[in-house]
Amino acid sequence: TEETCRRFGYRIGRFKSQVCHIAEYREIGTGAVIAQKIRLADKTDMPFLGAKPARCMLFGQHLWRTGGDWIVVTEGEIDALSVGQVFPTRPVVSVIRGADGAEKDLKQHLEFLESFKNIILCFDNDKAGREAVARCAPLFTPGKVKVAFTVPTAQPILYPAAPVAASVPVDVPKGFSGKFVWPLSGSLLTEIIF
């Protein structure tokens, strides 16, 4: 909704005469907006304007205090907005540089993320997303990370980050309840039941 976009700092604007999405990034320490990521309709180019990503909080981090039962970390800003729409009072952030830069982003914000009892990595279920999860999960205290992913033809399942047979789900962290609707590519939707 517009309210969720305003809360997170996500809007529509123009970049080089093209309509685009603009994600605001805030400075570590001050919370001031110091950078913007531009998302054009074709997603071929997503320039990062302003300060370097190393000076920025994760997308949405300015909304949450440290500590709590769980935090969801997504691969992209729109994914974070989707989770934030469904769970408006639960912490959700997005990495800055997508799957390829996720490890670097999470290392930079390790202290903030480690302050939560459970860290749920919710990246895209494509090769890049799965590889990013494999690189990022070991950064955290063993047992803290859970991985949520969607499968277009089946119900999504929550698994521990450690290698495990795909048919062995784990306990769901406290705080998840009801239905979580997650957008997939195009107009497809799937339900994640927690």
Side-chain angles (χ1 to χ4, degrees):
T1 64
E2 184 177 341
E3 178 184 338
T4 297
C5 289
R6 285 184 193 281
R7 189 165 55 98
F8 276 82
Y10 195 90
R11 55 196 166 92
I12 303 294
R14 288 197 171 273
F15 178 72
K16 295 184 178 178
S17 72
Q18 293 184 55
V19 174
C20 64
H21 293 199
I22 302 168
E24 295 176 348
Y25 277 87
R26 296 171 182 271
E27 185 172 38
I28 297 169
T30 69
V33 175
I34 59 168
Q36 297 174 322
K37 186 193 285 185
I38 307 300
R39 179 186 173 122
L40 299 172
D42 62 8
K43 293 184 5 178
T44 57
D45 184 27
M46 295 188 10
F48 197 84
L49 308 174
K52 294 192 180 295
R55 290 187 48 207
C56 297
M57 295 178 179
L58 297 169
F59 180 74
Q61 185 176 343
H62 67 287
L63 298 172
W64 316 111
R65 290 179 286 185
T66 57
D69 287 335
W70 56 270
I71 186 167
V72 176
V73 180
T74 67
E75 185 179 324
E77 296 88 0
I78 293 176
D79 297 335
L81 294 171
S82 298
V83 174
Q85 177 69 37
V86 176
F87 297 113
T89 62
R90 297 296 186 167
V92 58
V93 295
S94 171
V95 296
I96 301 165
R97 294 169 263 218
D100 291 340
E103 181 179 11
K104 190 172 191 175
D105 292 343
L106 297 185
K107 277 182 182 177
Q108 181 179 343
H109 298 282
L110 207 52
E111 185 178 343
F112 170 73
L113 295 167
E114 279 282 345
S115 72
F116 293 87
K117 293 177 187 169
N118 294 285
I119 302 160
I120 296 136
L121 298 180
C122 194
F123 291 1
D124 293 348
N125 191 26
D126 56 11
K127 184 175 188 248
R130 289 188 304 272
E131 288 176 356
V133 166
R135 288 190 311 272
C136 294
L139 299 173
F140 301 100
T141 302
K144 269 194 177 193
V145 172
K146 309 293 185 284
V147 176
F149 65 94
T150 59
V151 181
T153 59
Q155 284 295 339
I157 305 170
L158 184 72
Y159 290 106
V164 66
S167 61
V168 184
V170 296
D171 293 334
V172 177
K174 289 181 179 175
F176 281 104
S177 63
K179 292 184 178 180
F180 175 0
V181 179
W182 191 259
L184 295 173
S185 61
S187 60
L188 299 175
L189 291 177
T190 189
E191 293 180 352
I192 299 177
I193 310 296
F194 289 107

mmCIF file of all heavy atoms in Angstrom, residues 8-9 17 37-38 48 81 89 101 110 115 126-127:
data_model
loop_
_atom_site.group_PDB
_atom_site.id
_atom_site.type_symbol
_atom_site.label_atom_id
_atom_site.label_comp_id
_atom_site.label_asym_id
_atom_site.label_seq_id
_atom_site.Cartn_x
_atom_site.Cartn_y
_atom_site.Cartn_z
ATOM 1 N N PHE A 8 8.522 2.829 4.656
ATOM 2 C CA PHE A 8 9.845 2.295 4.347
ATOM 3 C C PHE A 8 10.717 3.267 3.544
ATOM 4 O O PHE A 8 11.928 3.103 3.506
ATOM 5 C CB PHE A 8 9.706 0.985 3.559
ATOM 6 C CG PHE A 8 9.494 -0.218 4.422
ATOM 7 C CD1 PHE A 8 8.233 -0.519 4.894
ATOM 8 C CD2 PHE A 8 10.549 -1.050 4.765
ATOM 9 C CE1 PHE A 8 8.016 -1.634 5.688
ATOM 10 C CE2 PHE A 8 10.346 -2.162 5.554
ATOM 11 C CZ PHE A 8 9.073 -2.464 6.023
ATOM 12 N N GLY A 9 10.108 4.255 2.894
ATOM 13 C CA GLY A 9 10.869 5.172 2.050
ATOM 14 C C GLY A 9 11.023 4.641 0.642
ATOM 15 O O GLY A 9 12.127 4.536 0.105
ATOM 16 N N SER A 17 14.256 10.796 -17.469
ATOM 17 C CA SER A 17 12.952 10.882 -18.136
ATOM 18 C C SER A 17 12.168 9.565 -18.178
ATOM 19 O O SER A 17 11.181 9.459 -18.884
ATOM 20 C CB SER A 17 13.079 11.484 -19.546
ATOM 21 O OG SER A 17 13.687 10.565 -20.423
ATOM 22 N N LYS A 37 18.316 3.918 -4.504
ATOM 23 C CA LYS A 37 18.468 2.901 -5.547
ATOM 24 C C LYS A 37 17.315 3.094 -6.520
ATOM 25 O O LYS A 37 16.160 3.183 -6.115
ATOM 26 C CB LYS A 37 18.434 1.494 -4.986
ATOM 27 C CG LYS A 37 18.743 0.450 -6.077
ATOM 28 C CD LYS A 37 18.423 -0.964 -5.673
ATOM 29 C CE LYS A 37 19.398 -1.548 -4.723
ATOM 30 N NZ LYS A 37 19.113 -2.987 -4.442
ATOM 31 N N ILE A 38 17.644 3.167 -7.783
ATOM 32 C CA ILE A 38 16.657 3.387 -8.837
ATOM 33 C C ILE A 38 16.340 2.047 -9.489
ATOM 34 O O ILE A 38 17.234 1.294 -9.862
ATOM 35 C CB ILE A 38 17.217 4.363 -9.903
ATOM 36 C CG1 ILE A 38 17.720 5.658 -9.265
ATOM 37 C CG2 ILE A 38 16.190 4.610 -10.998
ATOM 38 C CD1 ILE A 38 16.685 6.437 -8.504
ATOM 39 N N PHE A 48 22.691 2.995 -8.107
ATOM 40 C CA PHE A 48 22.688 3.391 -6.704
ATOM 41 C C PHE A 48 23.284 4.793 -6.682
ATOM 42 O O PHE A 48 24.448 4.983 -7.035
ATOM 43 C CB PHE A 48 23.529 2.413 -5.880
ATOM 44 C CG PHE A 48 23.266 2.485 -4.418
ATOM 45 C CD1 PHE A 48 22.211 1.783 -3.858
ATOM 46 C CD2 PHE A 48 24.076 3.248 -3.586
ATOM 47 C CE1 PHE A 48 21.958 1.836 -2.494
ATOM 48 C CE2 PHE A 48 23.831 3.307 -2.232
ATOM 49 C CZ PHE A 48 22.774 2.596 -1.673
ATOM 50 N N LEU A 81 8.955 -4.836 1.332
ATOM 51 C CA LEU A 81 7.668 -4.137 1.422
ATOM 52 C C LEU A 81 6.521 -5.141 1.544
ATOM 53 O O LEU A 81 5.570 -4.921 2.308
ATOM 54 C CB LEU A 81 7.442 -3.256 0.192
ATOM 55 C CG LEU A 81 8.387 -2.074 0.008
ATOM 56 C CD1 LEU A 81 8.171 -1.442 -1.366
ATOM 57 C CD2 LEU A 81 8.215 -1.052 1.106
ATOM 58 N N THR A 89 4.198 -4.912 12.135
ATOM 59 C CA THR A 89 4.908 -4.652 13.394
ATOM 60 C C THR A 89 6.102 -5.576 13.582
ATOM 61 O O THR A 89 6.737 -5.542 14.640
ATOM 62 C CB THR A 89 3.960 -4.810 14.595
ATOM 63 O OG1 THR A 89 3.488 -6.161 14.635
ATOM 64 C CG2 THR A 89 2.804 -3.840 14.511
ATOM 65 N N GLY A 101 25.512 -9.238 -3.670
ATOM 66 C CA GLY A 101 26.172 -8.482 -2.611
ATOM 67 C C GLY A 101 25.647 -8.773 -1.215
ATOM 68 O O GLY A 101 26.038 -8.111 -0.249
ATOM 69 N N LEU A 110 26.064 -7.299 10.843
ATOM 70 C CA LEU A 110 26.010 -8.515 11.650
ATOM 71 C C LEU A 110 25.568 -8.254 13.088
ATOM 72 O O LEU A 110 24.739 -8.992 13.627
ATOM 73 C CB LEU A 110 27.387 -9.183 11.624
ATOM 74 C CG LEU A 110 27.454 -10.667 11.831
ATOM 75 C CD1 LEU A 110 26.531 -11.433 10.904
ATOM 76 C CD2 LEU A 110 28.877 -11.163 11.650
ATOM 77 N N SER A 115 21.323 -9.535 16.989
ATOM 78 C CA SER A 115 20.570 -9.161 18.193
ATOM 79 C C SER A 115 19.196 -9.831 18.230
ATOM 80 O O SER A 115 18.527 -9.805 19.260
ATOM 81 C CB SER A 115 20.427 -7.637 18.293
ATOM 82 O OG SER A 115 19.513 -7.143 17.329
ATOM 83 N N ASP A 126 15.863 -18.738 -6.907
ATOM 84 C CA ASP A 126 16.574 -18.971 -8.167
ATOM 85 C C ASP A 126 18.015 -19.307 -7.799
ATOM 86 O O ASP A 126 18.379 -19.340 -6.624
ATOM 87 C CB ASP A 126 16.475 -17.754 -9.097
ATOM 88 C CG ASP A 126 16.986 -16.466 -8.466
ATOM 89 O OD1 ASP A 126 17.625 -16.510 -7.384
ATOM 90 O OD2 ASP A 126 16.750 -15.396 -9.050
ATOM 91 N N LYS A 127 18.830 -19.571 -8.801
ATOM 92 C CA LYS A 127 20.212 -19.982 -8.537
ATOM 93 C C LYS A 127 20.953 -18.926 -7.708
ATOM 94 O O LYS A 127 21.624 -19.253 -6.726
ATOM 95 C CB LYS A 127 20.943 -20.236 -9.863
ATOM 96 C CG LYS A 127 22.344 -20.763 -9.694
ATOM 97 C CD LYS A 127 22.978 -21.102 -11.053
ATOM 98 C CE LYS A 127 24.295 -21.814 -10.833
ATOM 99 N NZ LYS A 127 25.435 -21.038 -11.234
#
